[in-house]
Amino acid sequence: MKTGSREIIKKFENAGKAFDILKTISVTKRAAMFKKLRQEIIDNLDNIVSVICKETGKVKIEPLSSDVFPSLGTLNYFMENLEENLKEKTFKSDGDTCKVKYKPAGAAFIIAPWNFPFLLAFVPVLNAVAAGCSVILKPSEITPKTGKIIEDLFRKAGFPRHTVQCVYGGADVVQTAIRQKPARVLFTGSTKAGKEIGKLCGELLIPAVLELGGKAPVIICADADLQRTANAVAYGAFINNGQICVAMSRVFVDAKIKEKFVKFLLKNAANIKLGRDYGKLAQPERIPYLKALIDDAVRKGAKIIFKGEKSEEFLSPVILDGVTPEMRIFREECFAPVLCLKSFTSEKEAVALANDSCYGLAASVWSKDLNKAEKIADLLNAGSIGVNEWIKGVADPGLPFGGMKDSGYGRYHCEEGVRFFSGKISYLISESKNTSEVNWLPYEPEMYEDFKTVIMLLLGVKKMSSKVSKSLSKLEHRMKR
């Protein structure tokens, strides 16, 4: 399934027409329209989950808990907070009234991935529509039907025709779409593809949010709740078969409690079942590459301490112990159920290991001492950091989401998202009755010295004197020319 160039151009023309209508709809009415959209999702819940499972190989619970549920949470967030998110700001400056207003930017282009095909398409689309933009959505080639569902949901919910339209295909479709100069671009995907998209957007001066790869570090302190932490790590490493950009892939454990922690972790991992808790990789052709990463780590001293059920079609969960920065798997994003363990002897060492990465998307710190944990978290280079938590902060609609370094730039969710898809417009409203202003043309020979004198007075360098008073009088006279 591929959308041709002429059809892409036509869809952008239609998006422009939809935007002309959307931008006239008040923020209050847009927020109210989301109630019908929410109902459409609820009415079609089982079908949405079924399509996601067929396209991705996910087990049934994951589309419900990790795709649809947080999407509904984002809908609720905007229904309650959109007016506040886009509220204009007013203040006084030197007697003038200053305002900052948010106006919808135009037609937006959103490129979504396959790993969470509903969540990572629907939420960016919702951010854009909440701002008053129309959207061209390009779902992954692996999950086109999920993208079509999102298009249909907005249509059935009564949004203006062509509010959301899908285009289908690969990199050439993305390039053609961006060359139509959408007002905004939001991409979720690999760092390699993100760099190309960022380069093209830069050439065309299109604002972009790039949410890219990750290699999330986990720091487990000696006083952590080991049962909770082990359960969280197993979930964070193996959810969706590890096919998640914020996967807990590099786990650093205080050497004093490592043995106890590993016992809890292995017990949890042993309960993870093929077909019930995880399915096949969406791209099984990557398995040789992933096995090469594991083999490289083993050759360099790492040990496989857990391996799940064997299958030719599946890459079973793997836990590697003794992973070091010299191993490829320490640095390369796996996008697979591979958990890497390493011990540390000081918090300083743990932070250094965590930050030793080209990525900076997510991280977490685990300790019963919340003050200590937050101090450690402040030293980490990541856009989203959890303390005794992992995925909640990443998915929470009230918190901005995005990365640092090779994990991309820009933020969406909450007010950050709707403001990204808006033009931030500055107003200055003067009520001056003067016929001129002090710095307007024509300039006079002595004006430089008078202006400098007054500046020094305002800065507190000079005090009021007859000379200063004379300069003030001359400048005031200029405003009544």
Side-chain angles (χ1 to χ4, degrees):
M1 185 186 297
K2 181 179 176 181
T3 307
S5 298
R6 289 184 180 179
E7 190 177 354
I8 292 171
I9 293 169
K10 181 63 177 176
K11 284 180 181 284
F12 270 92
E13 290 174 357
N14 291 336
K17 294 174 184 176
F19 174 67
D20 288 339
I21 300 171
L22 283 164
K23 68 183 180 183
T24 67
I25 299 174
S26 70
V27 174
T28 303
K29 188 173 180 182
R30 286 204 299 272
M33 293 172 76
F34 290 153
K35 187 173 183 179
K36 181 70 182 342
L37 182 61
R38 181 178 64 181
Q39 191 60 50
E40 286 294 330
I41 294 174
I42 293 169
D43 291 344
N44 291 277
L45 197 58
D46 291 336
N47 180 55
I48 294 169
V49 168
S50 176
V51 169
I52 294 171
C53 287
K54 288 177 182 176
E55 289 195 310
T56 64
K58 288 176 183 268
V59 294
K60 194 173 182 181
I61 184 63
E62 286 191 351
L64 181 63
S65 64
S66 303
D67 267 288
V68 181
F69 174 64
S71 296
L72 289 169
T74 302
L75 257 176
N76 285 345
Y77 171 85
F78 282 128
M79 287 167 62
E80 296 172 5
N81 297 287
L82 185 57
E83 290 188 69
E84 184 64 29
N85 292 160
L86 294 175
K87 186 178 180 180
E88 71 175 54
K89 178 182 178 182
T90 303
F91 60 94
K92 286 287 187 180
S93 177
D94 292 332
D96 297 319
T97 299
C98 295
K99 294 185 178 183
V100 176
K101 297 184 181 182
Y102 296 95
K103 296 183 178 180
F109 181 45
I110 292 168
I111 309 119
W114 50 262
N115 58 330
F116 291 88
F118 190 86
L119 176 70
L120 297 181
F122 181 82
V123 170
V125 167
L126 190 63
N127 278 236
V129 175
C133 297
S134 56
V135 175
I136 303 291
L137 168 66
K138 195 208 82 68
S140 166
E141 304 96 302
I142 296 172
T143 56
K145 291 179 181 178
T146 304
K148 185 64 169 64
I149 284 175
I150 294 171
E151 179 182 322
D152 291 342
L153 285 170
F154 279 87
R155 176 178 53 80
K156 292 175 181 178
F159 283 81
R161 191 178 180 215
H162 302 311
T163 291
V164 178
Q165 303 170 87
C166 286
V167 294
Y168 305 96
D172 55 338
V173 169
V174 169
Q175 289 195 4
T176 299
I178 292 176
R179 292 195 182 281
Q180 305 314 304
K181 297 203 72 172
R184 299 287 188 272
V185 169
L186 190 151
F187 169 74
T188 304
S190 72
T191 297
K192 181 180 178 182
K195 287 179 178 180
E196 293 301 314
I197 289 169
K199 181 179 178 181
L200 182 56
C201 287
E203 289 175 359
L204 298 172
L205 297 178
I206 301 171
V209 166
L210 304 177
E211 197 275 278
L212 310 178
K215 196 74 178 175
V218 181
I219 295 177
I220 303 173
C221 299
D223 63 345
D225 180 331
L226 297 187
Q227 180 69 73
R228 174 179 171 80
T229 306
N231 290 344
V233 169
Y235 174 63
F238 302 138
I239 178 181
N240 194 31
N241 233 13
Q243 298 168 128
I244 176 170
C245 54
V246 296
M248 299 169 92
S249 55
R250 295 185 301 142
V251 180
F252 306 114
V253 191
D254 191 303
K256 292 190 289 290
I257 50 94
K258 184 184 174 188
E259 187 176 341
K260 289 182 180 179
F261 171 77
V262 169
K263 286 181 180 178
F264 279 111
L265 181 62
L266 292 178
K267 183 179 178 181
N268 188 300
N271 290 325
I272 298 172
K273 300 299 179 183
L274 177 64
R276 184 192 70 186
D277 301 312
Y278 69 97
K280 65 181 181 180
L281 291 175
Q283 297 173 307
E285 66 273 15
R286 296 179 62 248
I287 290 178
Y289 160 74
L290 297 168
K291 287 182 176 179
L293 290 183
I294 294 170
D295 290 344
D296 172 76
V298 171
R299 280 197 308 272
K300 293 174 181 175
K303 294 181 180 179
I304 298 174
I305 61 172
F306 176 82
K307 194 169 186 179
E309 300 170 72
K310 293 182 179 180
S311 171
E312 292 300 320
E313 296 179 348
F314 299 80
L315 182 72
S316 299
V318 174
I319 300 177
L320 283 167
D321 190 17
V323 173
T324 64
E326 293 73 30
M327 300 171 186
R328 289 175 59 195
I329 204 162
F330 184 93
R331 303 193 176 281
E332 297 181 32
E333 185 178 30
C334 293
F335 233 60
V338 183
L339 192 162
C340 299
L341 284 171
K342 179 171 174 50
S343 61
F344 63 84
T345 56
S346 69
E347 292 170 8
K348 183 178 180 180
E349 180 190 5
V351 169
L353 287 166
N355 288 336
D356 187 9
S357 173
C358 65
Y359 295 109
L361 188 57
S364 62
V365 182
W366 301 77
S367 169
K368 291 176 182 176
D369 184 338
L370 299 184
N371 289 328
K372 178 181 75 174
E374 191 167 351
K375 286 179 181 178
I376 295 172
D378 287 341
L379 300 174
L380 300 180
N381 298 325
S384 294
I385 302 176
V387 173
N388 296 330
E389 230 330 317
W390 170 63
I391 197 68
K392 277 187 178 179
V394 170
D396 194 301
L399 287 172
F401 178 61
M404 300 176 176
K405 301 189 286 186
D406 282 4
S407 290
Y409 53 75
R411 298 290 184 271
Y412 72 108
H413 292 185
C414 61
E415 70 274 9
E416 295 277 350
V418 289
R419 290 178 184 178
F420 168 71
F421 289 105
S422 303
K424 192 173 186 179
I425 314 300
S426 300
Y427 291 74
L428 188 143
I429 302 167
S430 174
E431 297 180 17
S432 174
K433 300 296 190 290
N434 295 323
T435 55
S436 184
E437 291 296 334
V438 66
N439 57 328
W440 289 2
L441 296 173
Y443 298 140
E444 296 158 353
E446 68 275 18
M447 184 179 168
Y448 178 85
E449 289 300 324
D450 291 332
F451 218 110
K452 186 171 75 171
T453 298
V454 171
I455 288 172
M456 295 302 107
L457 174 69
L458 295 173
L459 293 174
V461 176
K462 284 191 175 184
K463 295 182 178 180
M464 182 62 73
S465 65
S466 59
K467 181 181 178 182
V468 173
S469 179
K470 186 176 180 181
S471 292
L472 277 170
S473 179
K474 287 162 68 178
L475 293 176
E476 287 173 358
H477 179 73
R478 282 179 57 82
M479 293 190 290
K480 296 184 172 73
R481 287 174 295 174

